[in-house]
Amino acid sequence: MKRREFLKKAGTGAAAAVAASAIAAPNVIAQKKYNWKMVTTWPPNLPVLQTGAVRFAQRVKEATDGRINIQVFAGGELVPPLNTFDAVSDGTVECGSGAAYYWAGKTPACQWFAAVPFGLNAQGNNAWFYSGGGLKLWEEVYAPFNVIPRPQGNTGVQMGGWFRKEMNTIKDYDGLKMRIPGLGGKVIAGAGGTVVLLPGGEIFTSLERGVLDATEWVGPMHDLRMGFYKAAQYYYYPGWHEPGTTLEVMFNKKAYESLPKDLQAILDAVAMETNMWSLSEFEAGNGAALQELITKHNVNLKQFPAPLLDDLRELAKDVLEEEADKDPLARKVHDAFKKFKAQVGVWGTVSENAYYNVIADKFKLKA
């Protein structure tokens, strides 16, 4: 009797376990999958910028075990490059990649989340976003457009640009036709220059034909690829206008919030990973490209004269205040940025700046 009772109870327990497994199995096997589209402002196959967007999509697919699959379209393949923000905002696509200063026509406050002349470098921007309240402000700025932003990369300190003539004083900008976006472009306009906004594919021809007198792009790795050294003689540094340009991934709010919390967390984590990867790619690639430009292509590398930089810095202060006064939210962002910059600047003076001054004479450009 005891044996029969034991087998009966054991059979009941086994049946219950099988039934429970049958109920739970569909929840494990048939998890919902999300097929998204991403549009970017970047040309096809542009290293780090477009390839970074593609890498982001691949990493999301891997991290979610295929629950999110993102099809990436370069600028112009699905929508025009500068329609990226609108496509994400209205839900035409679920996400996009670009740089926030492209959307200054939507709201002037967005410009501080890409690059600020004489502003923060990549390290400072990341500190502001992740630990200084910058990302919360960015979310506030994009909220009326149903867009959620995340940092997705950084170029590091850019180059000052390619010029067809030497730049000695701020007066040399008077009448200069230069391709330069964002707040830096407004500074050039304030110095008497003519700002021309062109997509990447049109810059070289315009510079070669004299439609442009100067252009900035990114840094040696990308500038070498673009062949600007064939059209302009002088390559200036530093990139005061974009000392640490943040790249962005942006999500349609409805699409993002429709995801389970674990998938939202994965998107955020992969965006942060891509942010670090992008900066590392730029830092690793720019040095070798710069040496090639100098030694192989005989580029005339020149530093902006200190008095010229001083004049541009003073002009930039005025431009930033003018832009901040255009909108209460821009003023809020500018004041927060300025406060954080002063805070990290004190520390940077006795840490990064002091260290680089010590080792500066140990590194010489190859002649």
Side-chain angles (χ1 to χ4, degrees):
M1 287 295 294
K2 289 182 179 180
R3 182 172 179 271
R4 284 197 294 269
E5 287 176 6
F6 171 79
L7 291 174
K8 184 178 179 180
K9 290 179 180 179
T12 302
V18 170
S21 298
I23 293 171
N27 293 329
V28 174
I29 297 170
Q31 294 185 88
K32 184 174 180 179
K33 295 189 176 182
Y34 301 84
N35 294 309
W36 281 15
K37 292 183 177 68
M38 170 188 275
V39 293
T40 82
T41 61
W42 317 119
N45 302 314
L46 185 65
V48 188
L49 302 176
Q50 179 64 17
T51 61
V54 172
R55 182 184 185 279
F56 171 83
Q58 292 171 340
R59 293 289 292 141
V60 167
K61 184 177 182 179
E62 292 168 0
T64 63
D65 196 23
R67 291 165 67 193
I68 300 180
N69 183 54
I70 302 174
Q71 186 177 6
V72 181
F73 298 88
E77 291 182 344
L78 189 61
V79 302
L82 297 184
N83 282 14
T84 295
F85 188 90
D86 287 336
V88 176
S89 177
D90 63 25
T92 300
V93 297
E94 290 79 12
C95 55
S97 177
Y101 53 33
Y102 291 145
W103 328 126
K106 304 287 183 185
T107 169
C110 70
Q111 299 171 97
W112 277 262
F113 304 110
V116 176
F118 299 97
L120 295 169
N121 63 6
Q123 188 168 318
N125 274 327
N126 284 335
W128 186 46
F129 290 132
Y130 299 129
S131 302
L135 183 54
K136 291 295 183 184
L137 283 172
W138 197 356
E139 291 173 340
E140 182 180 347
V141 170
Y142 278 16
F145 304 96
N146 301 310
V147 175
I148 295 174
R150 295 289 183 265
Q152 193 197 23
N154 199 293
T155 66
V157 180
Q158 295 195 8
M159 289 293 288
W162 296 85
F163 294 78
R164 292 163 62 91
K165 69 174 186 178
E166 290 190 74
M167 304 299 291
N168 297 308
T169 72
I170 199 166
K171 292 180 180 179
D172 290 322
Y173 282 102
D174 192 25
L176 187 87
K177 300 185 295 293
M178 184 172 185
R179 185 270 180 194
I180 178 171
L183 293 166
K186 292 179 172 63
V187 175
I188 296 303
T194 299
V195 174
V196 182
L197 296 180
L198 292 173
E202 299 177 22
I203 299 174
F204 176 82
T205 301
S206 298
L207 189 63
E208 185 180 43
R209 294 178 179 175
V211 176
L212 291 175
D213 301 312
T215 186
E216 63 80 52
W217 184 231
V218 185
M221 182 169 61
H222 284 78
D223 293 1
L224 174 63
R225 176 187 174 93
M226 296 288 278
F228 293 140
Y229 60 87
K230 301 174 186 177
Q233 182 178 0
Y234 302 102
Y235 196 24
Y236 274 91
Y237 70 97
W240 57 268
H241 63 299
E242 296 194 39
T245 306
T246 298
L247 314 172
E248 66 181 354
V249 61
M250 44 192 168
F251 305 107
N252 174 268
K253 185 174 186 290
K254 182 178 179 181
Y256 181 89
E257 292 184 347
S258 71
L259 297 174
K261 293 295 184 182
D262 65 321
L263 295 187
Q264 292 180 16
I266 288 173
L267 287 178
D268 293 351
V270 175
M272 183 180 286
E273 179 201 70
T274 309
N275 186 17
M276 178 57 69
W277 173 85
S278 297
L279 179 60
S280 299
E281 287 289 299
F282 278 113
E283 290 295 298
N286 278 332
L290 181 61
Q291 292 293 354
E292 181 175 343
L293 285 167
I294 295 168
T295 59
K296 184 176 180 179
H297 301 294
N298 299 313
V299 166
N300 194 342
L301 184 68
K302 297 184 75 67
Q303 185 172 5
F304 286 118
L308 171 56
L309 288 174
D310 289 341
D311 289 341
L312 288 171
R313 184 184 292 108
E314 290 305 310
L315 183 55
K317 291 178 182 178
D318 294 338
V319 167
L320 289 170
E321 292 298 327
E322 290 172 7
E323 287 294 304
D325 284 339
K326 289 182 177 179
D327 179 85
L329 194 50
R331 169 55 62 186
K332 179 179 179 180
V333 172
H334 172 60
D335 289 347
F337 182 93
K338 191 163 60 171
K339 180 179 179 181
F340 189 81
K341 179 188 171 187
Q343 175 184 321
V344 299
V346 172
W347 166 237
T349 299
V350 300
S351 58
E352 301 292 327
N353 184 61
Y355 175 70
Y356 279 114
N357 284 338
V358 168
I359 66 172
D361 62 341
K362 303 298 182 182
F363 297 96
K364 300 294 183 183
L365 290 167
K366 294 179 182 178

